[in-house]
């Protein structure tokens, strides 16, 4: 579990090094803890979740205040990253290994 600050030029890898368990799988929780737009103040950016070992589109985008929970099979090394399209994003995460 932890917290990350990311940006478009500073993608962060979520530590999901899974050791054994059920086929190297884990449950991953990510929440965009950034500010929602209020009173003329712009919202913090969406968090883009991606698996950089796969050259396809990102897995999903999480708006400020939203969260996601999904299963993830990282194998021996994690390639799950969080970043933004622009600006600075704030998120928290939790990785639960399936054993």
């Amino acid at each position: 579990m932890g917290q990350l600050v990311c940006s478009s030029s500073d993608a962060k890898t979520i530590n999901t090094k899974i050791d054994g368990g059920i086929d190297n799988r884990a449950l991953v929780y990510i929440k965009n803890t950034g500010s929602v737009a209020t009173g003329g103040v712009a919202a913090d950016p969406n968090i883009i979740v991606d698996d950089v070992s796969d050259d396809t589109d990102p897995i999903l985008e999480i708006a400020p205040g939203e969260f996601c929970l999904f299963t993830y099979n990282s194998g021996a090394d994690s390639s799950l990253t969080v970043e933004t399209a622009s600006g600075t994003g704030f998120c928290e995460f939790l990785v639960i290994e399936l054993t």
Side-chain angles (χ1 to χ4, degrees):
M1 75 189 317
Q3 298 175 329
L4 295 172
V5 176
C6 61
S7 68
S8 59
S9 61
D10 189 21
K12 301 290 176 134
T13 301
I14 292 179
N15 183 10
T16 57
K17 293 203 182 260
I18 308 303
D19 184 20
I22 303 173
D23 300 326
N24 296 321
R25 291 185 300 152
L27 290 175
V28 178
Y29 161 85
I30 303 171
K31 180 177 181 183
N32 184 336
T33 57
S35 299
V36 177
T38 57
V41 176
D44 284 332
N46 289 355
I47 299 291
I48 301 168
V49 181
D50 197 2
D51 184 341
V52 295
S53 68
D54 185 353
D55 288 335
T56 60
D57 294 330
I59 296 171
L60 55 96
E61 287 192 32
I62 310 167
E66 294 180 343
F67 71 92
C68 66
L69 179 67
F70 59 96
T71 58
Y72 180 67
N73 185 345
S74 67
D77 293 308
S78 173
S79 54
L80 191 64
T81 63
V82 290
E83 62 184 322
T84 64
S86 65
T88 301
F90 307 92
C91 68
E92 61 186 19
F93 68 93
L94 173 66
V95 179
I96 304 167
E97 184 175 350
L98 299 175
T99 58

